[in-house]
Amino acid sequence: MSVPLLDLRAQHALIKDAVLAALMPVIDDQAFILGAPVAKLEADVAALSHTKHAIGCANGTDALLLAMRALDIGRGDEVVTTPFTFFATAGTIHNVGATPVFVDIDPKTYNIRPDLAAAAVTSRTKAIIPVDLFGQIAEIEEIRRLLPSMPIIEDAAQTIGARRKIAGEWTMAGQTATIGTFSFFPSKNLGGYGDGGMMVTQDDALATRLKRLRVHGGLTTYLHEEVGYNSRLDALQAAALVAKLPFLAAWSAKRRENAAYYDAAFADLADVTTPYIDPANESIFNQYTLRVARRDELKKHLGAKGIGHSVYYPLPLHLQPCFAYLGYAAGACPEAERAANEVVSLPIYPELTRAQLDEVVAAVRGFYGR
Ligand SMILES: Cc1ncc(COP(=O)(O)O)c(C=O)c1O
């Protein structure tokens, strides 16, 4: 039996009626741009994230871009971030005209090291972008402790609904950042039927600015206070996401259950390190990522057995050809580079059956001769 890395059709089959019922009124109204479904999703995501504001936009990449623009980050500025993330985190820093400054990750959580982020700050640094990788929140409160007045843009594209205990209180992804950003890319825990994104903040002035930036920099028709973007969230996407949101908590809990199943099944394999979840975190396991010996051979073996898998991410961003101008050499971020050579992500989606989980387990155990 082959097992895909992700099976969106399996999820769609379970929620098809609810999603189609949500889409039809938008189609009947022919009101596709912003409007009630977007406002409803914004209210729902703000409630989930314990934030005062949520502002929908076209995708998670634009959410980062708009967040930086709202913080007046541009030419000559530096933004400190992790090299072990999806490209958008740093691509957007470049695209606002600023310089990405990469610092290494914690080898256990794969998230940015707050001490290294603080050490990289210069007079030009305008923000830190920690990424909540694979579903667990970065050490935002430690970054805040080290850099009390530095804006933090939390790239929570992979982490909507994840929680972190700070000083004994549960906080949500995006809640404690200056601006938090989400992606509704279909493979995310809350995925749309196309692209979508959202920004959350507790700050009234930033919220107004973000709303303005997503509609060409003007909240009054044909009056533009600044140059912004066309980065609206589609009403159809918002309607589908409103219909899906009530399922999110159960889906993420099922992913945690699947992760625990794998953890137990791989516990005796010396060549396999299962994901480390910081005790302060409740991960939503957007990815279940192993660190393994002989990674590339394991990949071949999984491929031959029909087990879906992927490497997130094979080349850290500081070594990407497009960032050669920044002058980073191999060895600059050794933990990110080591992770890139050793990680592999397995199917973790909530609709996996026990038989499929066992198939994945057997393939991995078989490779290591157990
Ligand atoms: C960490 C991270 N940042 C940003 C993005 C960009 O989101 P989008 O694909 O919605 O533009 C993604 C996902 O694709 C991501 O995983």
Side-chain angles (χ1 to χ4, degrees):
M1 179 193 4
S2 67
V3 183
L5 180 61
L6 180 63
D7 186 354
L8 290 174
R9 282 189 221 160
Q11 181 175 87
H12 176 64
L14 298 172
I15 57 168
K16 186 173 176 176
D17 292 347
V19 171
L20 292 184
L23 295 181
M24 278 322 290
V26 180
I27 294 170
D28 287 341
D29 283 355
Q30 292 286 294
F32 298 116
I33 305 298
L34 296 175
V38 172
K40 169 74 172 123
L41 183 69
E42 290 173 339
D44 288 356
V45 169
L48 171 70
S49 307
H50 300 173
T51 57
K52 200 163 166 198
H53 305 280
I55 301 101
C57 64
N59 52 64
T61 303
D62 277 8
L64 290 162
L65 191 79
L66 295 170
M68 278 182 269
R69 284 291 312 274
L71 291 165
D72 291 317
I73 296 170
R75 214 167 294 284
D77 297 332
E78 295 175 355
V79 177
V80 177
T81 193
T82 163
F84 197 60
T85 175
F86 179 64
F87 181 73
T89 314
T92 49
I93 299 173
H94 172 96
N95 280 341
V96 297
T99 303
V101 175
F102 295 109
V103 300
D104 211 357
I105 55 167
D106 176 318
K108 286 161 82 183
T109 62
Y110 307 112
N111 283 333
I112 194 168
R113 266 183 53 188
D115 57 333
L116 297 181
V121 167
T122 71
S123 58
R124 294 173 156 205
T125 309
K126 287 289 171 63
I128 312 287
I129 307 187
V131 178
D132 300 337
L133 206 69
F134 301 151
Q136 75 168 318
I137 298 176
E139 290 177 77
I140 312 284
E141 76 285 4
E142 181 62 6
I143 297 172
R144 181 81 75 208
R145 191 184 69 77
L146 294 171
L147 302 165
S149 56
M150 182 68 67
I152 297 175
I153 300 171
E154 179 180 354
D155 182 346
Q158 303 181 3
T159 315
I160 190 165
R163 305 195 295 173
R164 178 170 178 82
K165 218 169 221 176
I166 300 176
E169 297 282 328
W170 282 112
T171 61
M172 305 301 295
Q175 178 182 343
T176 62
T178 312
I179 301 173
T181 64
F182 298 123
S183 163
F184 302 123
F185 186 79
S187 66
K188 304 304 192 221
N189 287 36
L190 182 63
Y193 284 62
D195 279 310
M198 195 157 288
M199 303 152 292
V200 290
T201 183
Q202 312 286 7
D203 186 296
D204 296 344
L206 283 176
T208 304
R209 186 93 189 270
L210 290 166
K211 271 192 193 143
R212 192 167 86 183
L213 282 164
R214 78 173 169 185
V215 286
H216 294 296
L219 287 172
T220 307
T221 312
Y222 302 129
L223 184 67
H224 303 272
E225 282 96 348
E226 61 182 324
V227 178
Y229 305 86
N230 174 1
S231 185
R232 298 171 296 230
L233 177 62
D234 277 354
L236 279 172
Q237 291 307 330
L241 289 161
V242 166
K244 287 184 76 172
L245 187 56
F247 299 96
L248 176 65
W251 285 334
S252 294
K254 190 68 175 53
R255 285 169 179 262
R256 282 191 290 277
E257 217 178 288
N258 292 343
Y261 190 79
Y262 283 146
D263 285 352
F266 301 141
D268 63 326
L269 300 181
D271 287 336
V272 172
T273 304
T274 53
Y276 171 82
I277 304 303
D278 180 336
N281 275 337
E282 182 180 74
S283 176
I284 63 161
F285 282 99
N286 182 240
Q287 300 297 342
Y288 180 88
T289 303
L290 298 176
R291 190 193 275 275
V292 298
R294 297 186 285 137
R295 197 268 315 273
D296 293 343
E297 283 172 66
L298 172 64
K299 274 173 54 61
K300 275 197 198 119
H301 175 81
L302 293 174
K305 296 270 179 204
I307 305 297
H309 61 277
S310 193
V311 171
Y312 306 110
Y313 296 93
L315 185 63
L317 299 188
H318 65 292
L319 301 179
Q320 291 288 344
C322 67
F323 290 135
Y325 74 94
L326 295 172
Y328 290 93
C333 296
E335 291 298 349
E337 292 163 37
R338 193 163 69 86
N341 288 323
E342 295 180 359
V343 295
V344 63
S345 299
L346 298 178
I348 191 69
Y349 58 92
E351 297 79 18
L352 281 168
T353 64
R354 177 59 66 89
Q356 287 176 309
L357 287 166
D358 286 337
E359 194 83 8
V360 177
V361 167
V364 173
R365 292 188 64 84
F367 178 73
Y368 292 105
R370 304 298 290 262

